Amino acid sequence: MKAKTLLFLALLIIQSYVSAQILDPVKWSTSVEKISDTEYKLISKASIDPGWHLYSQNVPEDGPIPTTFSYLNEDTSFVLVGGTTEEEGHTVDDPIFNMKIKFFEDQATFEQIIEVFEIKSTYKGIVEFMVCDDQRCLPPTEVDLVFEIPNVDKTIVPNEKNNAKNSTITDEREVGAIAKSKSSRGLWAIFFIAFISGFAALLTPCVFPMIPLTVSYFTKQSKNKAVGIKNAVLYGISIIVIYVFLGSAVTAIFGADSLNALATNVWFNIIFFLLLVTFAVSFLGAFEITLPHSWANKIDAQSTKSGLIGIFFMALALAIVSFSCTGPIVGTLLVEAASKGGTAPIIGMLGFSLAIALPFALFAAFPGWLNSLPKSGGWLNTVKVVLGFLELALAFKFLSQADLVIQLHWLEREVFIAIWIAIFGALGLYLLGKIRLPHDSPMTHISVGRLGLALLTLTFTIYMIPGLWGAPLNLISAFPPPLEYSESPYGVGYSKVGAGTVSADHGDLPDGGHLLAPHDILAFNDYDKGLTYAKKVGKPILIDFTGWACVNCRKMEQNVWPKPAVLDVLKNKVVLVSLYVDDKRPLSTGEEVDSKLKPGKKLKYIGQKWSELQTIRYKANSQPFYVLMDHNEENLIDPVGYTPDTDEYYRWLEDGISKFKALH
């Protein structure tokens, strides 16, 4: 009995000892405080055992792991307003890390304000933290946080600004507003281009002859003019529904949030290039891209039905029969719109179909206008061929983007411009009748309109020729590779080490710095090295979130940056740090880290690192995106995106620099 008692006591002692090694000195609790109909405060409270310290979110380099909060927002139902705030805490000389460190004892409260677009009953987050006592530290620990809002219905709420909030909140919202404004302008551009493309499609041999035939059908088959107009309008609406459905399908298949990744994906750009070349060759007369005839026959049989169903199938029959002409145009629009991301394919198809549908409704309402339409003839094929040349030129934009992303230097600026000179030169000769293609009609004379278009095309061709020797070519700056991606970035006969007049004003280049040709701007492609140099020379930092495949970035670099006032700022008053979010070069060994946006995945490429930095810190993911900040990495002025107005961009730079000088 005595032995059993001793054994029991021994087991208790062992159990107590083992239990004592399993330390859990911090307990977390959460709560939610409602601020307004659109804002909530997520509160995380840590209860800390006596003798233990929980470290602040901001600790010196080489110190302990800081407390870090991340909030799960996969459905983008909210945005963070400012950063996570914390209490005053204690700042002492830490005996373990031998540095001044801020920490919390007994308890600590952290608060994060969110602005919601969709009110939910639960929001989730993760806190990573490290705790120490006077002699030891525990490994970093992650704890899931759940913030519950009781008695909440799932409703959509407007994103309104609350001007009473502090400047940090305003900055966050204004960054979002900038992104939304740029996105809105981009969608309007897609709509306008698609609308013009729809009118171009009308002038092709497959569509144009259908206008009088279809309108005549409606006017003859209808009991009176009002019914004819009604049926024609329904016909036009059916056309719009069909093409918008196509755009919606593309968005649904690829996903609205991931479409813009196509712009920097090498394989997609190569596929787009091959697709557009195929479309171009088809338009030039080598072959026709058609859908199976059985489809047209089945749809045509359905179109004989009366009422709305018959009208809808008539519109579908038009889409299928005219596919050989409209298919390449629609395909090009979808390719271009898909690279913009979001709902751009839907907006593009809306613009395209509206242009197709309008003539049918208008000519049905005013049949007398049909007499003013030009007769079908060889000019329709000419329109088709011209579109083929334009498709071919556009195709090389996508091949260039693929080459830029992987930095092969196969399609440098001079080669790209030479290809365009050949394409538009051939188009000019075709319009003058010097080149004949398979489906062209015999031409006895050149019309005034055709001659004018030929002269305009040849003028454009001649305009591009100086680009082979380094001219900026501002009219087409969005299409060729940037000036520095060139065989002779400083112009033919000029180099940094050879003959010519270009010289460096910076002497020996600092670590990580290079001269951005042809403007000769000292630039860094590494955030830390750029920040270190800025501190050394006492200048503010201009962060340029850019991309090799970013069209508007090239426009800024070639149209705005070279202006004397802006160029002086970039060369002498700021330190430029250009971070390419689509840089596909792998991170060096040891630099691969876990993604904060996609838990469980690692960042593999340099571009992913800069993309996450922009998304997490500035709540924006579009390029270009410019940030002026001081040496403490605090914004001097609200960031801006694409700003083609030189004066506006210059004022933004000067305002930020003035604030930097006031602080220093």
Side-chain angles (χ1 to χ4, degrees), residues 28-43:
W28 290 90
S29 61
T30 61
S31 60
V32 178
E33 178 182 334
K34 183 176 181 179
I35 300 175
S36 68
D37 289 338
T38 61
E39 290 184 327
Y40 288 85
K41 182 185 294 182
L42 307 184
I43 303 171

Side-chain angles (χ1 to χ4, degrees), residues 343-642:
T343 58
I346 300 174
I347 300 299
M349 289 301 95
L350 177 62
F352 179 84
S353 59
L354 185 62
I356 293 284
L358 272 177
F360 292 96
L362 291 175
F363 282 112
F366 306 99
W369 290 4
L370 290 174
N371 298 326
S372 63
L373 284 178
K375 295 181 179 180
S376 300
W379 68 272
L380 291 175
N381 186 69
T382 300
V383 172
K384 192 175 176 182
V385 170
V386 170
L387 291 175
F389 277 108
L390 296 178
E391 292 259 7
L392 189 60
L394 182 62
F396 282 93
K397 170 195 170 187
F398 291 95
L399 184 61
S400 172
Q401 288 183 172
D403 182 63
L404 278 166
V405 169
I406 54 181
Q407 294 285 287
L408 288 178
H409 287 267
W410 288 356
L411 194 61
E412 292 183 321
R413 184 177 175 86
E414 291 89 345
V415 178
F416 182 97
I417 293 173
I419 292 172
W420 268 39
I421 289 172
I423 291 172
F424 284 96
L427 174 58
L429 293 175
Y430 170 80
L431 291 171
L432 290 174
K434 303 301 181 182
I435 297 176
R436 291 276 304 275
L437 291 174
H439 300 293
D440 287 331
S441 303
M443 186 170 58
T444 58
H445 67 281
I446 299 175
S447 66
V448 175
R450 183 165 180 156
L451 177 62
L453 184 59
L455 293 175
L456 184 64
T457 303
L458 291 174
T459 300
F460 177 64
T461 304
I462 295 171
Y463 165 79
M464 289 190 290
I465 292 175
L468 297 172
W469 288 274
L473 304 182
N474 291 336
L475 287 179
I476 59 169
S477 59
F479 293 95
L483 287 163
E484 66 268 19
Y485 196 79
S486 168
E487 293 179 5
S488 302
Y490 293 94
V492 175
Y494 294 89
S495 67
K496 299 304 296 181
V497 294
T501 61
V502 179
S503 61
D505 298 327
H506 301 278
D508 294 333
L509 294 176
D511 181 31
H514 66 278
L515 292 178
L516 185 66
H519 310 314
D520 209 17
I521 303 169
L522 176 64
F524 294 81
N525 295 134
D526 184 275
Y527 180 89
D528 294 325
K529 291 180 179 179
L531 179 60
T532 300
Y533 180 75
K535 291 178 179 179
K536 178 181 177 182
V537 297
K539 295 179 182 179
I541 304 101
L542 174 61
I543 304 296
D544 164 32
F545 288 100
T546 183
W548 290 111
C550 170
V551 172
N552 285 340
C553 302
R554 302 292 84 77
K555 288 182 178 179
M556 289 293 294
E557 293 164 8
Q558 297 178 30
N559 296 342
V560 177
W561 286 12
K563 303 302 180 184
V566 175
L567 187 60
D568 177 64
V569 171
L570 297 178
K571 293 180 70 172
N572 302 311
K573 298 181 180 180
V574 299
V575 172
L576 177 65
V577 180
S578 294
L579 305 178
Y580 288 83
V581 300
D582 56 2
D583 191 333
K584 297 298 183 183
R585 291 177 299 165
L587 290 164
S588 58
T589 304
E591 286 190 355
E592 292 186 358
V593 295
D594 293 331
S595 170
K596 293 181 180 179
L597 296 176
K598 299 178 180 178
K601 294 187 178 181
K602 285 188 174 293
L603 302 181
K604 297 180 180 180
Y605 304 111
I606 293 174
Q608 291 177 326
K609 178 180 178 182
W610 305 137
S611 179
E612 279 217 352
L613 174 65
Q614 182 188 2
T615 303
I616 292 172
R617 183 177 294 185
Y618 302 107
K619 311 299 184 295
N621 63 353
S622 62
Q623 294 79 41
F625 191 77
Y626 303 104
V627 181
L628 263 174
M629 68 181 195
D630 61 18
H631 299 157
N632 295 322
E633 303 178 65
E634 298 290 339
N635 290 357
L636 294 166
I637 192 172
D638 296 337
V640 297
Y642 177 57

Side-chain angles (χ1 to χ4, degrees), residues 84-381:
T84 302
T85 60
E86 62 186 27
E87 298 175 315
E88 185 176 352
H90 307 279
T91 302
V92 297
D93 288 318
D94 192 285
I96 295 178
F97 293 98
N98 194 28
M99 61 176 65
K100 287 186 178 295
I101 296 179
K102 178 182 176 180
F103 64 82
F104 304 98
E105 293 179 318
D106 300 326
Q107 67 177 26
T109 302
F110 302 86
E111 298 176 347
Q112 173 65 58
I113 297 175
I114 63 171
E115 181 177 10
V116 298
F117 306 118
E118 179 182 300
I119 300 178
K120 302 193 300 181
S121 59
T122 301
Y123 296 93
K124 296 181 180 180
I126 298 174
V127 58
E128 182 185 23
F129 62 97
M130 180 176 180
V131 290
C132 299
D133 61 15
D134 291 336
Q135 297 179 347
R136 55 188 170 174
C137 292
L138 300 184
T141 305
E142 281 192 359
V143 171
D144 293 331
L145 303 174
V146 178
F147 304 91
E148 295 185 351
I149 303 178
N151 304 320
V152 171
D153 293 328
K154 188 175 182 180
T155 56
I156 304 300
V157 296
N159 178 19
E160 298 178 351
K161 289 190 177 182
N162 184 344
N163 294 326
K165 299 301 170 187
N166 58 38
S167 59
T168 302
I169 297 174
T170 303
D171 289 348
E172 292 287 345
R173 290 185 176 177
E174 287 182 355
V175 170
I178 290 168
K180 291 178 182 177
S181 174
K182 301 302 180 185
S183 174
S184 176
R185 287 203 290 268
L187 291 178
W188 275 111
I190 286 289
F191 178 85
F192 178 75
I193 293 171
F195 191 77
I196 297 300
S197 300
F199 276 119
L202 280 172
L203 301 178
T204 57
C206 313
V207 182
F208 187 81
M210 299 294 290
I211 297 175
L213 291 175
T214 305
V215 173
S216 297
Y217 172 83
F218 282 127
T219 54
K220 291 178 181 179
Q221 297 297 321
S222 303
K223 296 179 181 179
N224 52 56
K225 182 178 180 181
V227 175
I229 293 174
K230 173 188 171 184
N231 290 338
V233 170
L234 290 174
Y235 181 72
I237 292 174
S238 298
I239 292 173
I240 294 173
V241 169
I242 290 167
Y243 283 104
V244 170
F245 175 79
L246 178 61
S248 302
V250 170
T251 303
I253 292 171
F254 290 101
D257 293 332
S258 60
L259 276 171
N260 56 4
L262 300 182
T264 59
N265 185 284
V266 174
W267 292 111
F268 268 112
N269 274 289
I270 293 174
I271 291 171
F272 290 164
F273 165 72
L274 296 174
L275 193 63
L276 294 189
V277 168
T278 303
F279 290 159
V281 173
S282 172
F283 268 164
L284 293 175
F287 53 84
E288 283 195 352
I289 302 174
T290 59
L291 295 174
H293 291 292
S294 59
W295 291 17
N297 294 334
K298 291 178 181 178
I299 297 299
D300 190 55
Q302 296 293 325
S303 67
T304 59
K305 294 182 178 180
S306 60
L308 182 59
I309 295 177
I311 293 174
F312 176 81
F313 278 102
M314 281 188 65
L316 187 57
L318 171 69
I320 292 175
V321 171
S322 63
F323 184 80
S324 61
C325 291
T326 60
I329 300 175
V330 169
T332 304
L333 281 174
L334 287 175
V335 166
E336 184 66 22
S339 67
K340 304 297 182 186
T343 58
I346 300 174
I347 300 299
M349 289 301 95
L350 177 62
F352 179 84
S353 59
L354 185 62
I356 293 284
L358 272 177
F360 292 96
L362 291 175
F363 282 112
F366 306 99
W369 290 4
L370 290 174
N371 298 326
S372 63
L373 284 178
K375 295 181 179 180
S376 300
W379 68 272
L380 291 175
N381 186 69

